[in-house]
């Protein structure tokens, strides 16, 4: 089977099956072998690894994963791609294709059945229309994962990686950094895909923390406070946490908690680190339940 990372072979297989790209599924297939190598390197795939691939497309990245990993499970929503995958992956015995929407699959059960519940690696060139739901779903389900190495829009990679005081910093940065350590491994221009997306892309590796990096007494409260702060980005925390659908603390309670943490009472959420958000949520939890 010819390597699909080469554009000529990709076109040949698309023509053979009269494949029509479906925009609604975010289908932009990789046609650059350097980028494919870079993804495998960034994910540090070895023959020990069980890999979950989301959206194999015609199997381009899947072929690389099959060559480098012990076992691969590839989950593809578009049933028109199944005959193509059966063809392009026919040389490999270490791959299973599942025709399913990744957001509907019971991944915990899959990891339990296929890898005895041991941690797996996730690798994907993600469909951009659902990047954030997929990444958040993987993280919030607290699955046994070593890392998530994914191609995303450059702008989303920046948001995942940025810190306080930058324009890209927000709820996504804090959620991703709560669970993982992000690292942008490569920037990828539109001409590495077929068809070309109209945005730049990046490969980002999110390495799961082995243990929590912040001490949080009520995780749900922390994330409600983070959403409240960034939904009303221009408001001070005292106003944002007082008047939102997520939380409604007394202004005095927020002022007091900020004072305990040594923070000014006109501070905005965008200036707080993850550690400071965690400390503020613990302080508010304890001061308001004690009162
Ligand atoms: N991995 C291939 C590559 O790199 O050339 C294709 C990547 S393409 C950006 C995204 C793939 O995800 C498409 O094959 C698309 O059909 C699939 N996809 C879209 N939504 C999905 C979903 N909810 N669940 C599983 N696969 C999905």
């Amino acid at each position: 089977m010819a390597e699909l990372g080469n554009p000529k072979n990709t076109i040949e297989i698309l023509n053979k099956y009269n494949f029509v790209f479906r925009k609604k599924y975010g289908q932009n297939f990789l046609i650059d072998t350097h980028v494919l190598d870079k993804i495998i390197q960034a994910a540090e795939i070895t023959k020990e690894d069980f890999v979950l691939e989301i959206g194999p497309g015609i199997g381009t990245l899947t072929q690389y994963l099959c060559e480098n990993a012990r076992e691969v499970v590839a989950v593809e929503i578009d049933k028109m791609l199944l005959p193509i995958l059966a063809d392009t992956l026919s040389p490999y015995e270490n791959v299973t294709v599942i025709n399913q929407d990744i957001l509907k699959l019971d991944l915990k059960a899959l990891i339990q059945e296929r890898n005895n519940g041991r941690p797996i690696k996730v690798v994907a060139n993600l469909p951009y229309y659902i990047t954030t739901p997929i990444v958040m779903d993987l993280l919030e389900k607290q699955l046994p994962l070593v890392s998530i190495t994914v191609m995303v829009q450059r702008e989303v990679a920046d948001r995942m990686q940025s810190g306080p005081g930058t324009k890209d910093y927000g709820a996504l940065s804090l959620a991703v950094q709560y669970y993982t350590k992000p690292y942008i491994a490569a920037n990828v221009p539109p001409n590495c895909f077929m068809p070309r997306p109209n945005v730049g892309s990046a490969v980002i590796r999110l390495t799961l923390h082995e243990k929590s990096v912040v001490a949080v007494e009520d995780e749900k409260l922390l994330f409600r406070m983070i959403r409240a702060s960034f939904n009303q980005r221009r408001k001070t925390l005292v106003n944002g946490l007082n008047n939102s659908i997520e939380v409604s603390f007394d202004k005095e309670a927020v002022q007091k908690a900020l004072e305990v943490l040594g923070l000014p009472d006109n501070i905005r959420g965008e200036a707080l680190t993850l550690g400071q958000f965690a400390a503020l949520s613990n302080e508010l939890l304890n001061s308001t339940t004690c009162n």
Side-chain angles (χ1 to χ4, degrees):
M1 169 52 54
E3 213 186 63
L4 292 168
N6 164 334
K8 186 175 148 287
N9 297 338
T10 291
I11 291 169
E12 212 169 277
I13 200 94
L14 293 174
N15 288 342
K16 179 173 167 191
Y17 288 88
N18 289 321
F19 181 75
V20 179
F21 287 99
R22 297 227 245 176
K23 221 174 174 180
K24 71 166 181 174
Y25 287 146
Q27 292 175 339
N28 300 96
F29 299 160
L30 271 168
I31 48 162
D32 186 299
T33 54
H34 299 294
V35 175
L36 288 151
D37 283 332
K38 191 81 201 177
I39 296 173
I40 299 296
Q41 272 169 29
E44 297 178 346
I45 300 299
T46 73
K47 279 288 169 198
E48 309 276 290
D49 292 324
F50 182 104
V51 177
L52 168 70
E53 187 193 5
I54 300 163
I58 58 170
T60 313
L61 176 58
T62 327
Q63 290 184 336
Y64 278 68
L65 292 169
C66 291
E67 295 283 347
N68 290 281
R70 170 172 56 86
E71 194 174 341
V72 180
V73 168
V75 180
E76 173 57 59
I77 197 169
D78 186 356
K79 66 176 185 325
M80 304 305 280
L81 287 165
L82 300 183
I84 305 184
L85 287 165
D87 184 351
T88 60
L89 301 178
S90 61
Y92 302 103
E93 288 181 353
N94 58 344
V95 61
T96 310
V97 174
I98 299 176
N99 181 210
Q100 184 47 295
D101 177 345
I102 189 68
L103 294 174
K104 294 195 180 137
L105 197 65
D106 184 347
L107 289 173
K108 202 161 233 162
L110 183 129
I111 299 170
Q112 186 57 45
E113 273 164 33
R114 304 294 302 261
N115 203 39
N116 292 324
R118 288 197 308 274
I120 68 160
K121 291 182 179 172
V122 176
V123 179
N125 170 16
L126 286 177
Y128 292 172
Y129 75 107
I130 45 167
T131 299
T132 305
I134 291 176
V135 172
M136 289 316 301
D137 194 58
L138 292 169
L139 297 175
E140 284 171 353
K141 283 190 178 143
Q142 312 214 346
L143 302 166
L145 303 180
V146 178
S147 59
I148 303 171
T149 304
V150 280
M151 180 83 72
V152 298
Q153 289 180 45
R154 170 75 219 209
E155 177 223 318
V156 174
D158 287 340
R159 277 165 48 209
M160 289 177 173
Q161 198 192 232
S162 59
T166 60
K167 72 170 175 31
D168 293 322
Y169 188 56
L172 181 66
S173 330
L174 284 154
V176 163
Q177 293 166 34
Y178 179 75
Y179 296 106
T180 76
K181 186 173 161 41
Y183 161 69
I184 295 181
N187 286 320
V188 182
N191 63 2
C192 297
F193 302 85
M194 184 186 295
R196 294 181 184 190
N198 40 27
V199 289
S201 303
V203 177
I204 188 164
R205 188 186 69 215
L206 309 175
T207 309
L208 277 280
H209 296 312
E210 281 176 20
K211 52 183 192 330
S212 298
V213 286
V214 290
V216 182
E217 290 174 39
D218 184 340
E219 214 171 79
K220 287 207 170 77
L221 174 64
L222 169 69
F223 285 108
R224 290 209 319 268
M225 284 175 46
I226 289 172
R227 283 194 295 272
S229 310
F230 289 97
N231 286 346
Q232 315 174 79
R233 210 181 165 100
R234 303 308 302 161
K235 283 194 178 175
T236 62
L237 269 178
V238 170
N239 286 326
L241 298 181
N242 169 249
N243 176 19
S244 118
I245 49 163
E246 298 284 352
V247 287
S248 59
F249 287 107
D250 284 346
K251 288 189 181 183
E252 294 76 53
V254 182
Q255 274 162 344
K256 180 84 199 314
L258 288 172
E259 193 185 319
V260 172
L261 300 179
L263 294 169
D265 68 1
N266 62 349
I267 197 165
R268 294 197 181 113
E270 62 195 14
L272 258 61
T273 63
L274 174 61
Q276 287 170 325
F277 263 113
L280 185 63
S281 75
N282 292 342
E283 188 59 35
L284 282 168
L285 181 72
N286 293 319
S287 59
T288 49
T289 45
C290 294
N291 286 340

